[in-house]
Amino acid sequence: METESAVLQLTSMGQAFDDALRQRFGAIRLWEDKTLLTSERAAAVAAIVTSVRYGCDQRTIQALPGLRAICSWGAGVDTIAVDLAKSRGIQISNTPDVLDDCVADLAWGLMLAVARDIVSANQYVRNGEWRELGKFPLSTRISGKRLGILGLGRIGAAVAKRAIGFSMEVRYFSRSHHQDSLLAFEPSLLDLAKWSDFLVVACPGGPATKHLVSSAVFEALGPNGILINVARGSVVDLAALINALEQNKLGGAGLDVIEGEPGAPSRLLERRNVVVTPHVGSATRETRLAMERLVIDNLSSFFRTGRVLNPVFQ
Ligand code: NAP
C-alpha cells in the first residue's frame, strides 16, 4: 500500500471501486471530509483520483502543493484544469482505448434507433397498436448511405470501422488531415455535413469545440440528415438543434450527451425523431471494469516509476 493519504479521491465512483482504491492505496475520500483541502493533510496528497464527470478544478489543484498526478476515470479532460496542471508539471491520465468500442457501439445503436424508428416501434407494439392497426410508418434506410465523422480520434475511428458492415461510404472532418487514413478528409465541417446522411460527433468537448455543430451545420445536413452525438453536449448548440428539428430542417438526432445534462428539455423529448440516452456510452459492465483497472494501473505506475501509463500530454 502507498503511504497513507498520498491518494485523494474526489468523488465516489461506486462501492467496489471506492473500496479497491482504499484497500490498495489507502485513498482518502474528499466527500467524507470536506475540510480536507484546507487542512494540513492536504500537503501529503501526491495523486488525485477523479472522474471525468466530477473533474478537477483550479481550486482543488491550488489547495494541494504536493500534487503530481491526476488520474481520471473516463475519456476527455474538459472538466480538468489542464493549463494549471501543466504549468505545475502535474501529470494527467485518463482511460482511453478501453471504452472506444462500447461508445462506438452506442453511436451505431443511436443511428439505428433514430433512422429505423426503433423506440416508437417498440412502443407501438407495447401499446397494443400492432394488433389493432397493423401498420407502422416507413423509416429511413442506413445501409449504403453516407456517414460523416466529426473528430477522427479513437472513438471516431471505431465508429468508422463499423460502417464496413453497413456498406457505407465514410468521410471525416478533424482538427488535422490524417494522411495515414484511408478515409476521405473533408476540408470543413460544413462540407462534411453537406455530404453526409448521418453525422457522428466524436471530438472532445471544451471551449475549442463549443457549439461547433451549429444551425449552419444543421442546414447543411438537411431535412433528411441525422445527427448523432456521443462526444460532449457542449459541442452541439442545443437551442439551434431544437429549432432545426421543430422547423423540419433536420431529419433526427440521437444524443448520448446533451448541453446542461443530466436531463433533456421536453421540446426535444416530445419529438419522435429524437432518441436520448443518459450518457451511457461506456456504461457496460465489461468496459467499466476495464476503466477502473486502468485507473489503478495508472496510479500504480505513478507510484512505482513516477510516470502515469496514459498521460494526456507528455
Ligand atoms: P481522441 O482520440 O482524442 O480523439 C478526438 C478527435 O477529435 C481527434 O482526432 C482530434 O483531432 C479531434 N478534434 C479535436 N479538436 C477538434 C476540433 N476543434 N475540430 C475537429 N476535430 C477535433 O478522443 P476519443 O477517445 O476518441 O474521445 C472523443 C471524445 O468522446 C472525448 O473527448 C469525450 O468527450 C467523448 N467521450 C464520450 C463518452 C460517452 O460516454 N458518450 C465516452 C468516452 C468519450 P486530430 O486527431 O485531427 O488532431
Side-chain angles (χ1 to χ4, degrees):
M1 194 173 80
E2 311 301 337
T3 55
E4 187 75 20
S5 77
V7 175
L8 173 65
Q9 186 182 349
L10 300 189
T11 184
S12 173
M13 289 180 267
Q15 188 70 52
F17 188 42
D18 295 349
D19 288 348
L21 289 169
R22 173 152 287 176
Q23 217 175 3
R24 183 93 181 251
F25 303 98
I28 46 176
R29 299 169 177 174
L30 186 60
W31 69 97
E32 287 179 355
D33 179 7
K34 290 277 182 197
T35 65
L36 210 137
L37 289 179
T38 49
S39 78
E40 280 179 8
R41 288 196 296 159
V45 173
I48 274 178
V49 179
T50 189
S51 71
V52 67
R53 284 179 205 188
Y54 188 90
C56 180
D57 61 11
Q58 289 197 3
R59 199 180 63 87
T60 305
I61 295 176
Q62 279 158 352
L64 303 169
L67 185 66
R68 288 182 292 130
I70 298 169
C71 297
S72 179
W73 174 99
V77 286
D78 43 310
T79 52
I80 297 175
V82 173
D83 289 343
L84 177 60
K86 265 187 180 170
S87 72
R88 280 206 17 213
I90 297 167
Q91 301 173 63
I92 302 176
S93 71
N94 60 2
T95 60
D97 303 318
V98 295
L99 48 70
D100 304 346
D101 282 332
C102 276
V103 181
D105 290 349
L106 189 77
W108 277 91
L110 288 170
M111 274 170 67
L112 287 159
V114 176
R116 299 304 309 270
D117 212 1
I118 290 174
V119 176
S120 301
N122 178 55
Q123 209 50 52
Y124 182 84
V125 178
R126 285 172 187 268
N127 292 346
E129 292 176 83
W130 188 16
R131 210 169 293 120
E132 289 162 23
L133 306 174
K135 280 201 174 139
F136 187 74
L138 298 180
S139 62
T140 302
R141 179 184 170 105
I142 294 184
S143 291
K145 294 274 185 75
R146 295 170 161 187
L147 172 62
I149 294 180
L150 167 57
L152 193 68
R154 299 173 181 93
I155 292 170
V159 171
K161 200 163 83 177
R162 283 154 175 74
I164 297 168
F166 289 82
S167 309
M168 287 176 94
E169 196 185 335
V170 184
R171 294 188 185 175
Y172 73 97
F173 170 74
S174 209
R175 195 172 36 187
S176 54
H177 183 173
H178 294 221
Q179 304 286 352
D180 55 343
S181 172
L182 296 175
L183 302 178
F185 174 70
E186 285 288 343
S188 78
L189 176 55
L190 281 186
D191 286 323
L192 181 70
K194 267 185 209 140
W195 175 84
S196 302
D197 296 308
F198 297 86
L199 179 65
V200 175
V201 181
C203 64
T209 57
K210 185 163 165 64
H211 291 184
L212 196 59
V213 180
S214 60
S215 53
V217 174
F218 303 133
E219 293 271 351
L221 203 49
N224 297 317
I226 290 177
L227 174 84
I228 303 296
N229 188 6
V230 289
R232 283 290 178 267
S234 61
V235 184
V236 174
D237 182 338
L238 181 59
L241 172 65
I242 293 172
N243 283 336
L245 288 163
E246 287 180 345
Q247 292 164 22
N248 296 321
K249 289 181 175 170
L250 187 68
L255 310 168
D256 184 45
V257 287
I258 191 162
E259 236 182 347
E261 65 179 63
S266 53
R267 276 171 70 196
L268 200 62
L269 296 178
E270 67 202 18
R271 302 206 66 79
R272 178 189 178 126
N273 55 352
V274 172
V275 176
V276 182
T277 49
H279 201 151
V280 290
S282 68
T284 62
R285 283 181 289 279
E286 297 86 344
T287 289
R288 286 292 166 84
L289 199 59
M291 290 164 70
E292 290 171 8
R293 284 200 186 118
L294 199 45
V295 171
I296 286 178
D297 290 348
N298 271 294
L299 272 174
S300 299
S301 169
F302 169 71
F303 283 113
R304 209 176 51 249
T305 68
R307 306 295 307 165
V308 295
L309 282 181
N310 298 97
V312 170
F313 50 81
Q314 296 299 331

